[in-house]
Amino acid sequence: MNRVFLIGNLTKDPEVSTTTSGVAVCRFTLAVTRRFGNNETDFLPIIVWRGQAENCGKFLKKGSKAAVAGSIQIRSYDAMDGSKRYVTEIVADEVQFLSSKAGGDDDTGDMKPIDDGLPF
């Protein structure tokens, strides 16, 4: 099974483009901090396709917190110097926007607690 779930912050604004056949593709890098060890951060390239790609371009920006579900893909290409290069990417099929519309990490906005008299 090839399935990955990540939560992190975008390192820069997402880049949206279209293929020659008109399919939208969005690329961004997600900074994900490891839970154990020295709290090191991994910078993982994310690729999103079609309608979800367009939404990522509209609603995400540098610093946005996002949750990504997808699969790991490794592809290779021939570099200009003749060597073979390998790229590991996450192909996302789900992206959840976790930052508020204002761009902060607090998702409560202007909501205030309501005392409705319930004991819980």
Side-chain angles (χ1 to χ4, degrees), residues 45 73-77 85-89:
Q73 170 181 286
I74 300 172
R75 62 182 174 84
S76 63
Y77 65 94
R85 302 284 172 95
Y86 294 91
V87 178
T88 302
E89 303 165 317

Side-chain angles (χ1 to χ4, degrees), residues 36-89:
F36 303 104
N38 296 332
N39 285 333
E40 296 174 359
T41 301
D42 294 308
F43 299 92
L44 304 165
I46 311 293
I47 300 174
V48 189
W49 293 92
R50 297 178 179 75
Q52 184 76 61
E54 294 170 356
N55 286 335
C56 287
K58 287 179 191 174
F59 299 111
L60 292 176
K61 62 182 181 179
K62 179 180 178 177
S64 295
K65 185 176 286 289
V68 172
S71 58
I72 298 172
Q73 170 181 286
I74 300 172
R75 62 182 174 84
S76 63
Y77 65 94
D78 294 323
M80 295 184 76
D81 63 3
S83 64
K84 192 164 207 100
R85 302 284 172 95
Y86 294 91
V87 178
T88 302
E89 303 165 317

